[in-house]
Amino acid sequence: MKISHLTDFVRVMLDMSVGDAEVIAHQIDDFASELPGTASFALGQGVAFVNHLVKVKLRKSLSSLTNKEGEEAFRIISKTGIGKDLINNLKMFILLVYGSNRSAEIISKVANRFEQKDDPEINTVDIKDFPARETCDVLIIGSGAGGAISALELAGKGLDVIIVEEGRRFSVDFFRQNDGLTRFKELYREKGATVAIGRPFVVLPIGMGVGGTTLVNSGTCFRTPNNVLDDWEKRAGVDLYEQDSFSKHLDFVEDLIGVKEASLDVMGNNGKLALKGAKALDFKAAPLRRNAPGCKGSCQCAIGCPNSAKAGVHLNALPAASKLGARVVTSAKVVRILNDGKRAFGVKAVGGGREIEILSKVVILAAGATQSPQVLKKSGIGSHHMVGKNLAIHPALSACGWFDEEVNSSQGILQSVGIDEFHESDGILIEATSTPPGMGSMVLPGIGRELKSNFDNVNRLATLGAMVADLPSGRVVGKLQPLIFYQLAKRDLLKLKKAIEVMGEVLFAAGANQVLTGVNGHEVANDINELREIARNARANDLHLAAFHPTGTLRMGLDDADYPVDEYGRVRGVENLYVTDASVLPTCPEVNPQVTIMATARAIASQIVVH
Amino acid sequence: MSLETRFHERMSGYWIEKKDTKKSNTYNFCFEIDVRLDGVMNLFATQKAFFKGFVTAENFATNKEIQGVLETSPFIKRQLRYSFSFFNDEGVECKFDGWKSIAFLDPLRTWTTLPGTLKDMSGNMIGEVLVKFNFQDTFSFLSSFRLSESVKDEDLFLKRLTDEYLSSRKGRLEVWYDTFSDDKHGYWIHHELISSIKGETYSTGWIAIFELGKKPIFERFEDRDILDSKYFKTDSVSLTPIDRIGKTKNIEWDIKVDGKSDPLYTFGRLSWKKETLPASQIVPLPTAKYTGTIKVKGKEFKIDCTGASARIFGLGNAKRWVWLHADLGDNNVVEVVSAVSKKKYLENLKPLSFVKIRFDGKEYPINSLLCAFFFKTEITDNSFRVSGRFPRLRVDIKVSQPRERCVVVDYLDPDGEAAQCINTEIADVDIRVMRKIKNEWEEVFVKRLEGCGHSEIGIRQ
């Protein structure tokens, strides 16, 4: 990518001097070079094409235009479909880097405020120091929500457990001493740039490290809704979701990870405004229940909690499993589950220039809904036609409100309040979520001076997010590198549009004088009627979607023709192989799923008998 | 009887000792095994083979015996797993577990590389191992493959002169004999079944006790009644693979036999199974433990000895013969049978000398029948000497059995001819065996045994 092209783009976008823009351009270039091939290539091409469009439309090169002229040029080329999309998507990269820089200051202030709590010990061994051949009783692929709980359960039965984790161990030091962009790049798979292809495309950040996505989730905990459990039990035929027996596992998980209602003391204004708006409209709303008992409101859940308050599994299940003898091999990517076609008996993993093999009596796959199907396929045992299909992602979008008073949403709980007025009726769950600007799905509107001014006033911006319980409209394909496709269903598009409306209503009711809709081309609504109009006319392609809860790619159920995993969590056709991650959830769980995933993992693991 | 595949493999490399400190030391590691698999080797199936051998882990275990399991499944599971246990230099039991992970796109490396771990019996890691197959060993590895019929020890003791066999053949004899000794005494029990050419079948036998400086105790037993049994059984004496019980006029014995060593096919397998030679001798238990009691006129001999159990089968006794069984300790034995056949045209040949030496788990020569033509045997009244050279083997065995240490036993062949055998278990033996490795003669064994060789000389007047 030509730095000069990118510098010009940034200069115009953020109304900056060439020198400042160049710094940011280099940062973006560094970031892009570490992205998977397709993404960095696309970025480079996109920037070049914008320059090309400017030349075509204005017969002048972008480098010769001033910032003000450049703004106008961008506005002109935004009139074309491709120009609009390009500028919008490239803007996201710039905002990511710029937003990270701006929030770095706030983060560093927080990092020094509270005393560091040392990490509990986990028995980790880097693959470089692990023997090339080893045996154990139970081998678990992935140390996230599902994998960690399975490890705890089976180590508790006295079995020799080894977890193979593709990522590395992140200590609380790492969170406290690094800036947001670095943490973002390291803690997420593919530097956070995983994208589900479709119209619109959906950003799907997936965590990677010891603790999996629980390292970077927002800590929101919901028990599985009864209507979902009912559906899973009756329609999919999975007895372990029977409400009474399953609630015992839910209880265990909530106790283990320390679920409590978010405290108003540390909540921050973002959440309080959400509560205020909901109350004014008489919407059902309450502080969220979270696994963050000692939360200090540092608002960094998505890039690792510096206060060790948000209790990902690296703070509870994994240390407990380690005490019972479980080991975690880190930086080890499983490339094959060893099998003879009928029976799984171990894994082969690579990392650090080495290849290791571990034989075990039972193999548990918990690599996540977007990775687990590929592991099966690479091992030659993913031939069931539903492997990788049935992907539901729980798509989300954001809306923001400008307030007269200071909101300072980057101080307080990142995801603090839940408004579930429309949850039962429409599957819409609204949560007050304040990701640092540029790092979330909200793209601040404007180009140049308008954008810069928005950034300068971001302390008066409150953000809401909405997730929609979707149909399983996606699939994960490919053997070597998983490719995710997701085509938003019509029904779900309508729900998303309604969600924008509802969020706008809440923001206005809370006292916002302007709402940022997040809809491309119609970013600003000055009153509720304008908002409703924008929402009604929004097209799929105009939405900025993100999703954090992929499920269902190895769904479990009774019918062997339609469910690749049986009702006990066993992969059909292969003995001694279980799946205990989000892939087995038959449909979208309609709420933040970490508790559901952990309880499912426990239910499956507790039934595993090893000889 | 079923088929059995055998081969010999050697792998060498290094092992890394895992210590708590950052520093880890790398040492040599190699093992050599004799693998035995039931059935024909099928690389397209999953099979389990057993092996015995030796391992040397520098600074840990020197030339220690190992036994273990090899699971082969190169195409189904894509692995060849070796696991064996052994005692290290300090007497602590350890186990090795490793497997070759077969990748079709890289066969040369993956079929010959074996990473593994060394652990103690409680599962604690001692070190990591990486051994490889040396391509220089390719020829000896491939040529070590054998496909043969596997025989259970019990089968080697089965009576061959059954009614069914004798219905079409006459004129055979069959012998079971045990020779065992401790520091003071040597004991010999001889059981024989004879089917004369006229068709009568009868049994004979004797028991003898030898002691240096004393006259040997000797008593015969004969029975016309042979009782129905898979093995040798008469009214007074019975034999099974695991015990010898009998009673003569003055001597009573009750002995248990426990042997786990591989049989020695002195005359080669084919001659025993298919009667390709006029007679054949095998040693089903070259090193066995004998426990029990022998009572002679009230005096009780407590038996706790090592010895051997051997078998003979054929048309009759040879014209002239000698036999030696020397136990060299540590499961090493030397077995020699030299004989001149009574058959019309063979009787003018020099004695055929069948030599089988088992040393360090290996047998020399591999084909004793072929070598038998190349060794020469010189027999006198009280001694004999077997010597010779076969391309890579040099043998010189001298046996001296002074008459006062022996018993003289008379035999009748199935055709009625008489023969005499002079037996002892307290012979003096001088053994020298050398092997040629890469143009240099290497001593396999040089030893003198005083008063503990089991031998016999057979003659006709």
Side-chain angles (χ1 to χ4, degrees), chain A residues 522-560:
Chain A
H522 305 277
E523 285 93 349
V524 182
N526 292 300
D527 57 60
I528 190 62
N529 294 317
E530 199 182 337
L531 177 86
R532 288 209 178 98
E533 191 65 28
I534 293 171
R536 223 163 285 149
N537 296 327
R539 294 172 310 150
N541 256 359
D542 296 329
L543 302 176
H544 293 113
L545 297 184
F548 310 93
H549 310 143
T551 59
T553 47
L554 290 173
R555 64 178 179 176
M556 65 193 284
L558 205 48
D559 188 335
D560 47 12

Side-chain angles (χ1 to χ4, degrees), chain B residues 293-307:
Chain B
T293 46
I294 298 180
K295 289 198 199 109
V296 182
K297 276 204 203 119
K299 179 168 179 203
E300 194 177 283
F301 292 87
K302 255 222 149 17
I303 308 296
D304 187 9
C305 316
T306 43

Side-chain angles (χ1 to χ4, degrees), chain B residues 332-390:
Chain B
N332 302 324
V333 290
V334 172
E335 189 85 8
V336 177
V337 179
S338 295
V340 178
S341 173
K342 251 173 58 173
K343 279 196 138 175
K344 201 158 163 211
Y345 299 105
L346 300 175
E347 61 185 340
N348 293 315
L349 283 178
K350 294 212 179 73
L352 272 182
S353 323
F354 294 88
V355 177
K356 265 285 192 204
I357 300 157
R358 183 175 285 167
F359 186 77
D360 230 359
K362 296 200 196 84
E363 268 178 36
Y364 311 94
I366 296 178
N367 192 336
S368 51
L369 177 55
L370 204 56
C371 291
F373 291 96
F374 291 84
F375 296 141
K376 76 171 185 235
T377 304
E378 296 152 355
I379 308 174
T380 71
D381 278 347
N382 300 319
S383 68
F384 60 90
R385 182 178 180 187
V386 179
S387 61
R389 186 180 149 174
F390 188 61

Side-chain angles (χ1 to χ4, degrees), chain B residues 251-269:
Chain B
I251 308 183
E252 248 181 79
W253 63 94
D254 187 345
I255 315 242
K256 293 256 177 293
V257 184
D258 182 21
K260 291 262 183 322
S261 39
D262 294 333
L264 263 179
Y265 292 93
T266 323
F267 281 50
R269 284 166 187 249

Side-chain angles (χ1 to χ4, degrees), chain B residues 10-152:
Chain B
R10 183 169 180 273
M11 302 206 72
S12 61
Y14 61 86
W15 74 284
I16 304 175
E17 193 177 6
K18 284 285 185 230
K19 282 224 156 87
D20 285 325
T21 58
K22 290 281 177 190
K23 193 164 160 279
S24 56
N25 303 313
T26 308
Y27 300 107
N28 289 329
F29 190 98
C30 75
F31 66 86
E32 223 175 310
I33 51 176
D34 281 306
V35 183
R36 190 170 287 201
L37 169 69
D38 272 334
V40 185
M41 182 157 232
N42 180 4
L43 294 177
F44 293 94
T46 304
Q47 296 179 312
K48 206 180 230 185
F50 297 92
F51 60 80
K52 288 200 187 117
F54 292 91
V55 68
T56 297
E58 192 189 337
N59 221 48
F60 187 71
T62 317
N63 211 30
K64 294 296 177 197
E65 259 180 59
I66 59 178
Q67 50 184 27
V69 175
L70 164 59
E71 190 189 61
T72 55
S73 183
F75 292 100
I76 297 185
K77 285 175 147 192
R78 304 203 211 168
Q79 69 184 38
L80 300 166
R81 189 171 180 188
Y82 295 69
S83 41
F84 60 81
S85 58
F86 61 97
F87 288 89
N88 70 357
D89 285 335
E90 278 146 38
V92 179
E93 200 177 356
C94 311
K95 53 183 180 189
F96 168 91
D97 190 9
W99 56 94
K100 301 175 181 171
S101 176
I102 305 299
F104 304 124
L105 298 176
D106 196 0
L108 234 49
R109 181 184 63 87
T110 54
W111 279 81
T112 58
T113 306
L114 175 61
T117 55
L118 211 54
K119 289 187 180 167
D120 65 27
M121 292 320 267
S122 7
N124 300 317
M125 197 64 151
I126 299 171
E128 255 190 88
V129 181
L130 181 63
V131 286
K132 293 194 184 187
F133 177 83
N134 203 334
F135 285 105
Q136 291 172 335
D137 293 335
T138 308
F139 180 71
S140 59
F141 169 70
L142 292 175
S143 62
S144 75
F145 271 82
R146 303 254 180 285
L147 181 61
S148 55
E149 283 189 65
S150 73
V151 179
K152 285 201 281 278

Side-chain angles (χ1 to χ4, degrees), chain A residues 128-135 160 327 336 338-341 343 345 348 354-355 357-359 379, chain B residues 18 46 73 76-79 81 97-103 109 113-117 119 125 128:
Chain A
K128 287 205 262 304
D129 302 319
F130 199 78
R133 300 284 186 263
E134 189 41 305
T135 57
D160 184 13
R327 292 173 277 174
R336 188 182 153 84
L338 304 175
N339 67 87
D340 60 6
R343 213 168 294 124
F345 52 83
K348 183 203 282 272
R354 288 182 79 206
E355 202 179 84
E357 287 196 6
I358 306 175
L359 298 185
S379 314
Chain B
K18 284 285 185 230
T46 304
S73 183
I76 297 185
K77 285 175 147 192
R78 304 203 211 168
Q79 69 184 38
R81 189 171 180 188
D97 190 9
W99 56 94
K100 301 175 181 171
S101 176
I102 305 299
R109 181 184 63 87
T113 306
L114 175 61
T117 55
K119 289 187 180 167
M125 197 64 151
E128 255 190 88

Side-chain angles (χ1 to χ4, degrees), chain A residues 273-535:
Chain A
L273 283 171
L275 284 171
K276 179 176 168 195
K279 186 151 180 247
L281 295 167
D282 206 23
F283 282 171
K284 268 195 299 169
L288 287 169
R289 295 174 75 241
R290 313 181 58 233
N291 58 321
C295 181
K296 309 270 192 276
S298 62
C299 202
Q300 295 173 47
C301 302
I303 45 176
C305 182
N307 302 313
S308 306
K310 187 199 71 179
V313 291
H314 62 296
L315 295 180
N316 38 57
L318 289 173
S322 290
K323 279 214 184 73
L324 294 164
R327 292 173 277 174
V328 183
V329 187
T330 59
S331 303
K333 182 183 171 104
V334 168
V335 294
R336 188 182 153 84
I337 296 175
L338 304 175
N339 67 87
D340 60 6
K342 298 201 200 78
R343 213 168 294 124
F345 52 83
V347 298
K348 183 203 282 272
V350 299
R354 288 182 79 206
E355 202 179 84
I356 66 170
E357 287 196 6
I358 306 175
L359 298 185
S360 64
K361 298 179 188 153
V362 165
V363 177
I364 297 182
L365 180 55
T370 57
Q371 297 287 317
S372 289
Q374 311 325 109
V375 178
L376 283 188
K377 287 195 181 157
K378 279 197 274 206
S379 314
I381 44 179
S383 58
H384 192 285
H385 74 102
M386 284 307 285
V387 166
K389 294 194 191 145
N390 192 63
L391 173 67
I393 58 175
H394 211 191
L397 34 65
S398 324
C400 305
W402 288 115
F403 287 79
D404 291 326
E405 71 264 33
E406 292 228 336
V407 179
N408 290 324
S409 59
S410 52
Q411 289 160 41
I413 300 176
L414 193 135
Q415 197 170 69
S416 49
V417 166
I419 303 172
D420 49 0
E421 175 72 22
F422 296 90
H423 190 216
E424 229 166 299
S425 55
D426 298 275
I428 298 172
L429 186 57
I430 295 170
E431 288 166 350
T433 315
S434 53
T435 31
M439 302 188 109
S441 58
M442 167 49 65
V443 179
L444 281 181
I447 300 170
R449 288 162 296 171
E450 191 192 333
L451 180 61
K452 181 120 182 292
S453 147
N454 284 339
F455 250 106
D456 289 336
N457 291 308
V458 95
N459 57 331
R460 291 192 296 112
L461 196 67
T463 318
L464 294 180
M467 294 182 293
V468 151
D470 60 331
L471 290 168
S473 321
R475 64 191 195 284
V476 186
V477 302
K479 242 196 239 186
L480 293 172
Q481 190 75 328
L483 215 56
I484 310 171
F485 290 97
Y486 183 85
Q487 187 45 54
L488 192 63
K490 187 95 188 270
R491 172 200 98 160
D492 298 327
L493 173 63
L494 292 173
K495 290 192 193 186
L496 284 168
K497 296 207 282 195
K498 176 159 183 185
I500 300 172
E501 253 189 72
V502 173
M503 286 195 287
E505 284 173 22
V506 172
L507 287 164
F508 280 125
N513 47 40
Q514 219 183 39
V515 162
L516 299 179
T517 61
V519 177
N520 210 9
H522 305 277
E523 285 93 349
V524 182
N526 292 300
D527 57 60
I528 190 62
N529 294 317
E530 199 182 337
L531 177 86
R532 288 209 178 98
E533 191 65 28
I534 293 171

